Amino acid sequence: MEKPRIVEELKPFFEPKGVAIIGATDKKGKVGNVIFENFKMNKEKGIFKGNIYPVNLKLDEIEGYKVYKNVREVPEDAELAVISIPAKFVPATMKDIAEKGIKAVVIITGGFGELGEEGKKMERDILQTAKENGIRIVGPNCVGVYAPDTGVDTVFLPENKMDRPSSGNIAFVTQSGAFAAAMLDWAAMAGIGISKMVSYGNKLDVDDADLMDYFIHDEQTKVVTFYIEGVKEGRKFIEAARRITAVKPVIALKSGKTEYGAKAASSHTGALAGADTIYDAVFKQTGILRAEDFEHMFDVAKAFAKCKLPKGDRIGIITDGGGAGVMASDAVAKFGLKMAELSKETIDFLKEKFPPHAVAGNPTDVVGDTDAQRYKYAIEAFVNDPNVDAIVIITLFQVPLLDEMELIDILAEYAQKSDKPIVAVAMGGKKTEYYAKILEDKGVPVYMTPERGVRAVAGLVQYAKYLEKLGE
């Protein structure tokens, strides 16, 4: 299939042959210096394969790199320009970029439409130059692009203050730069991999719809997450959303729900938040899953990145702690799912394999003296039961007779070979976190509470139902 024009237009943002950093400086901590250092470090690591061209009227060289006085002077392979100079100089710089023939620009600088009429006029001038010369813009007033696989990193927070996540299957798009920075730092800590991150600020040009159309064709991206304050072109957004959700799941965290939030969004990025009920309706129509909060968004995204889709909404729960099983059962009802009614064959099999004090049912409680083998019997039974569509496995790694690594291998094996989604819940502290990380590295999503695990499965079910309706 021939890739659409949008893919060719946006490709230089993620894998440019060369990058011009306009406003690069040797002053440590300055935005232009951090961005330069990001690219330089990734070049030295062999991740960024392109060339780096610092641009600054007042310097001749930075750390061994030749500095160009004007972007017009940089070599021909510069495909991306990153701008971090004061707002008043940006319109003229855009004209130089147009003359040079660079077609992708990230404008980090703030002080435009979000500050009133003068800023809006500068935005109009910049956009006119872009439209006349076929240039695509991310920004202004943003942190730009982070792509771990290609070493593009325009995030102006240095590594000693903000960790970068490793490569993964989740794309993250946000209006808020602060939210982008917090999310990247948190994802790195949580071990969640990112395929691409785009922070577009005032979204003068490239918007949610453009990025959805790009991510349809990005093979590395399995699921797209959005933090949205407002949408400018409703029809364009709806059409792009329908195109992508037919192929990949999209999860949106929409702020500005309240009158106060909507007002704050307007002063932050100039976003028109709009009536929240309208967004709710649009998300439902287009198959976008709405996240309640930051944690919810990534819980569901993690499930999509690691799990198969369920064929229905009947949930089976296995636990080694009765209370946790009750909490998970409550969550099944809360999130509109059903408790699976286990077949007679499943119940008989479990009773035959279990000691008398273990509970064969749904939830199945392998109880606190369990070993890994007892879990294996329960998982085998649930995987083979046609009445079970998805399985939530709660493990308290703390129980005395459990061989943690044996159980991890069993869970990973069944998650891989079963056609049903399997998620794990592991409650506890540092020791639990250690084993949970190993399990996640083997492809099983792990959640800290039964409610979060079930809520993630509910996202899988909701999207699977949407696809089923599309196919009718």
Side-chain angles (χ1 to χ4, degrees), residues 20-71:
I21 303 167
I22 300 164
T25 175
D26 54 4
K27 290 176 182 161
K28 297 292 176 194
K30 289 277 192 179
V31 170
N33 180 258
V34 175
I35 295 168
F36 168 76
E37 292 286 350
N38 291 346
F39 279 97
K40 177 175 173 280
M41 185 172 57
N42 287 338
K43 178 89 171 164
E44 287 165 358
K45 288 178 183 173
I47 305 167
F48 184 66
K49 308 286 191 214
N51 290 312
I52 303 167
Y53 304 119
V55 179
N56 187 318
L57 189 62
K58 296 174 183 170
L59 296 174
D60 294 319
E61 67 99 33
I62 304 173
E63 295 182 38
Y65 278 80
K66 177 184 174 181
V67 177
Y68 296 84
K69 304 295 182 190
N70 189 294
V71 70

Side-chain angles (χ1 to χ4, degrees), residues 5 9 12 18 55 78 128 144 186 277 280 286 318 338 343 352 355 366 381-382 392 418 429 446:
R5 195 179 69 194
E9 287 178 353
V55 179
Q128 186 178 342
W186 175 82
T277 49
D280 242 359
T286 57
I318 300 166
K338 298 188 186 88
S343 68
E352 180 194 323
V366 294
F382 278 51
V392 177
S418 169
V446 184

Side-chain angles (χ1 to χ4, degrees), residues 13-16 39 42 47-50 147-152 196:
F13 287 106
F14 306 109
E15 40 189 307
F39 279 97
N42 287 338
I47 305 167
F48 184 66
K49 308 286 191 214
D149 277 2
T150 59
V152 173
K196 315 271 191 306

Side-chain angles (χ1 to χ4, degrees), residues 335-355:
F335 299 118
L337 305 171
K338 298 188 186 88
M339 290 292 282
E341 288 188 27
L342 302 182
S343 68
K344 184 179 183 302
E345 290 80 5
T346 298
I347 299 291
D348 290 346
F349 173 82
L350 292 175
K351 282 181 174 171
E352 180 194 323
K353 298 293 184 186
F354 281 1

Side-chain angles (χ1 to χ4, degrees), residues 197-215:
M197 185 286 297
V198 182
S199 148
Y200 49 43
N202 295 8
K203 55 179 171 184
L204 182 60
D205 174 37
V206 173
D207 61 13
D208 321 82
D210 293 324
L211 290 161
M212 283 190 271
D213 280 336
Y214 177 85
F215 286 125

Side-chain angles (χ1 to χ4, degrees), residues 266-286:
S266 177
S267 63
H268 174 214
T269 54
L272 230 66
D276 197 63
T277 49
I278 294 171
Y279 282 92
D280 242 359
V282 166
F283 292 159
K284 284 191 177 83
Q285 279 171 27
T286 57

